[in-house]
Amino acid sequence: MENEEKTEVTEVNETEKEATAGRRRLLRAAACIVGIAVVIYLGGAAFFGSHYLPRTVINGHDLSAKTAEQAEKLFAQDVSGYGLVLTGIKGDTEEIKGAEISMKYEPDSDAQEILKDQNAFLWPAALFQSDRRNVEIRVSYDEEALKSRIESLKAVTGEQTPATSAYPRFDGGQFIVEPEQYGTAIDKDMLEKKIAEALTEFDDTLDLESEECYALPAYTSESAEVQQACDIMNEYSSARIVYPMSEEVVVDASVISGWLTVDDKMQVSIDEDAVRLWLEEFGNKYDTVGTTRSFITPAGKEATVKGGTYGWSINEDAEFDVIMDAVENGKTLEREPEYYIGGTAAVHTMPDWGDMYVDVDLSEQHMWYVVDGEIALETDVVTGEPIPERITPEGTYSVLEKLRNTVLVGSTNPATGKPSYETPVNYWMRVTWTGIGLHDATWQAAFGGNLNQTPGIGSHGCINMPLDQASALYEILEIGTPVVIHY
């Protein structure tokens, strides 16, 4: 029994020794592994003190475990093959090559600083996290060569279409903002600036439109100045003036819009010359003084008459002030235009003397006084002798004054220094301020026919009437009554 117990104790001791030896071997292996890991870690830390950490990407280059010198070489290679591609507004492209402007790499990039600033002891973590950077690549180039190359660009030498600013446009009813149009004209200063920036930043492309290298319109549809100009022009165009001529003449937005202008500073003004031109055309159409009129005489004859002083005559200067005030203040008016003194007629339709007038037919040597379209008086007459200094002037006139028992005085005779005649009359009805009128002529033995063509019988230009007819006419004739003298 004692031998068996001793044997069991011995076996237990051997087992414990083996277990202890195993543990020691494990500890030695673990220590060895830790040691190796420490060596690797420290070796890596030492290595990455002068090399980029794993998964470091700078400017598209994988610089893992590469030195700064190796990075500089890669950057230098980039510069040697560099080209800046310019994209135009129409999608066309052209390239400025680095070699054309003697571009060189300057070894002074921020890549050196990245290497200095990285924590080499964190290199294991870098295995699982990418570090992507872009740094400025410093280059030099021949500035004069660049200027020359820019001057030769198609964007510069090609056809230049200037940009058009947004502006107020009349659409037939009101002024609206017409959008701006972008052209192809290059802003040279901006182009040079943007190309220089692209080269400095080592960009591959430059979009000329997005970088605003084209000359921009001064105003866009979003510009407050354009909308304000529209508002002012619409306010001006809200004026309305109605002239009741032979038909209504309406000055509204359709007319006023043509008078409004806006300058390159979006300042609105009324084109005064355009207003005066419209008034001139208005006057030419509706002024009747001196115009040729066609009509039917009281005797039923078709006739024409031209010249004279009677008729419509618009005072364009006075009416200009009225129109300007109405437009500037958006007024609505219905009015007869301003006329010169005496520049009015009975009606706007032709003939404009209406249905009360004196008709003197020089061919028939007869006159009629028409009232309300009916003949109130008629008589034969004797008019001026048909020689230049005595002929009765054709035209449409009006009665300017009426006098009783006055003396008609002729022009001064140079030979005697006295009037060529001094003739007393009972009834004087002036037609022109130059001495033509209707009056009684008691010295005439007869009237009518062709007596006026006989020297000494034809008048000095006046319309001679029988005494009784002159008296009757004088009583019913009103000052201002039209007098139509025609053949």
Side-chain angles (χ1 to χ4, degrees):
M1 290 293 293
E2 292 180 0
N3 288 335
E4 289 178 359
E5 291 176 356
K6 289 181 180 180
T7 299
E8 290 177 357
V9 170
T10 299
E11 289 177 352
V12 169
N13 289 337
E14 288 297 327
T15 299
E16 289 179 354
K17 287 179 180 180
E18 289 178 2
T20 298
R23 285 194 293 274
R24 287 176 179 169
R25 286 194 297 273
L26 288 173
L27 289 173
R28 283 196 295 272
C32 182
I33 291 171
V34 170
I36 292 171
V38 169
V39 170
I40 292 173
Y41 171 74
L42 293 175
F47 178 81
F48 289 111
S50 58
H51 294 74
Y52 291 104
L53 291 174
R55 304 188 70 180
T56 297
V57 179
I58 300 178
N59 288 11
H61 294 291
D62 185 357
L63 298 181
S64 302
K66 287 185 170 57
T67 64
E69 289 73 19
Q70 289 174 307
E72 298 280 6
K73 288 181 180 180
L74 289 172
F75 298 153
Q77 289 174 6
D78 289 341
V79 172
S80 65
Y82 174 77
L84 174 63
V85 176
L86 310 177
T87 303
I89 196 170
K90 296 180 179 179
D92 51 309
T93 61
E94 50 188 324
E95 184 178 14
I96 298 177
K97 296 181 179 179
E100 294 175 315
I101 57 175
S102 303
M103 179 177 280
K104 296 179 181 179
Y105 173 70
E106 298 295 336
D108 185 24
S109 72
D110 294 334
Q112 294 276 9
E113 297 301 319
I114 293 174
L115 183 59
K116 290 179 182 179
D117 293 342
Q118 72 181 13
N119 190 338
F121 292 100
L122 297 179
W123 68 267
L127 294 169
F128 306 99
Q129 181 176 336
S130 178
D131 183 11
R132 292 181 173 274
R133 310 258 190 117
N134 284 312
V135 299
E136 181 181 348
I137 303 299
R138 293 174 177 81
V139 296
S140 63
Y141 54 83
D142 186 332
E143 293 186 359
E144 290 302 318
L146 176 60
K147 286 184 178 180
S148 177
R149 180 68 183 95
I150 291 175
E151 289 292 338
S152 68
L153 291 172
K154 290 183 292 185
V156 174
T157 61
E159 182 180 357
Q160 304 280 302
T161 304
T164 303
S165 286
Y167 65 93
R169 179 178 66 82
F170 188 68
D171 68 356
Q174 64 178 346
F175 282 93
I176 61 172
V177 176
E178 180 69 14
E180 67 281 3
Q181 296 292 326
Y182 291 88
T184 59
I186 285 291
D187 182 334
K188 195 80 168 297
D189 292 338
M190 182 62 74
L191 177 65
E192 291 177 354
K193 175 185 176 183
K194 291 298 183 178
I195 287 177
E197 289 178 357
L199 295 175
T200 299
E201 296 173 8
F202 206 61
D203 292 333
D204 295 326
T205 60
L206 176 65
D207 188 307
L208 301 186
E209 182 178 14
S210 63
E211 292 297 326
E212 299 183 348
C213 294
Y214 293 100
L216 300 175
Y219 298 97
T220 70
S221 54
E222 302 301 319
S223 299
E225 295 89 340
V226 183
Q227 186 58 60
Q228 183 178 23
C230 271
D231 293 342
I232 293 172
M233 296 172 93
N234 282 326
E235 184 175 345
Y236 285 161
S237 298
S238 68
R240 180 181 171 85
I241 308 171
V242 178
Y243 294 108
M245 312 303 283
S246 53
E247 69 282 333
E248 278 193 347
V249 176
V250 180
V251 175
D252 57 10
S254 64
V255 176
I256 297 169
S257 61
W259 300 343
L260 304 181
T261 62
V262 60
D263 63 17
D264 57 0
K265 301 296 183 184
M266 287 298 145
Q267 298 299 304
V268 177
S269 61
I270 304 172
D271 186 343
E272 295 186 2
D273 289 340
V275 178
R276 291 190 184 278
L277 178 60
W278 183 89
L279 276 167
E280 181 181 341
E281 294 171 349
F282 182 51
N284 289 341
K285 183 173 182 179
Y286 294 102
D287 284 353
T288 59
V289 174
T291 61
T292 298
R293 300 165 170 88
S294 298
F295 63 103
I296 304 296
T297 71
K301 181 177 75 172
E302 292 183 1
T304 60
V305 61
K306 61 181 178 180
T309 58
Y310 176 86
W312 298 106
S313 182
I314 296 171
N315 185 337
E316 295 172 12
D317 289 336
E319 199 58 29
F320 171 82
D321 294 336
V322 172
I323 289 177
M324 289 294 291
D325 177 66
V327 172
E328 289 171 350
N329 296 287
K331 293 181 178 180
T332 296
L333 307 172
E334 182 169 351
R335 55 179 277 108
E336 283 280 345
E338 291 283 334
Y339 297 102
Y340 289 106
I341 295 175
T344 59
V347 294
H348 283 294
T349 55
M350 294 297 278
D352 56 353
W353 50 72
D355 58 5
M356 185 174 74
Y357 60 96
V358 173
D359 184 296
V360 178
D361 190 328
L362 298 174
S363 300
E364 300 296 328
Q365 290 292 286
H366 196 85
M367 66 143 290
W368 296 264
Y369 179 41
V370 177
V371 178
D372 294 333
E374 301 293 333
I375 298 172
L377 180 149
E378 65 173 304
T379 181
D380 286 336
V381 296
V382 173
T383 62
E385 185 179 344
I387 59 176
E389 61 271 21
R390 292 191 174 190
I391 191 168
T392 301
E394 178 188 10
T396 306
Y397 304 90
S398 59
V399 176
L400 300 175
E401 70 176 359
K402 293 167 60 180
L403 295 174
R404 284 293 313 274
N405 301 319
T406 188
V407 177
L408 305 181
V409 180
S411 59
T412 301
N413 186 333
T416 64
K418 295 181 179 181
S420 57
Y421 63 86
E422 291 181 273
T423 305
V425 296
N426 295 286
Y427 304 98
W428 169 244
M429 294 157 279
R430 183 186 291 275
V431 174
T432 76
W433 291 115
T434 57
I436 305 300
L438 298 130
H439 63 80
D440 56 290
T442 56
W443 58 89
Q444 297 284 13
F447 296 88
N450 57 3
L451 292 173
N452 70 308
Q453 299 179 25
T454 303
I457 294 180
S459 75
H460 290 84
C462 288
I463 298 97
N464 290 180
M465 301 176 63
L467 178 60
D468 60 337
Q469 296 299 319
S471 172
L473 180 63
Y474 188 90
E475 292 301 322
I476 60 176
L477 185 65
E478 298 179 6
I479 290 178
T481 300
V483 178
V484 185
I485 303 173
H486 63 91
Y487 289 94

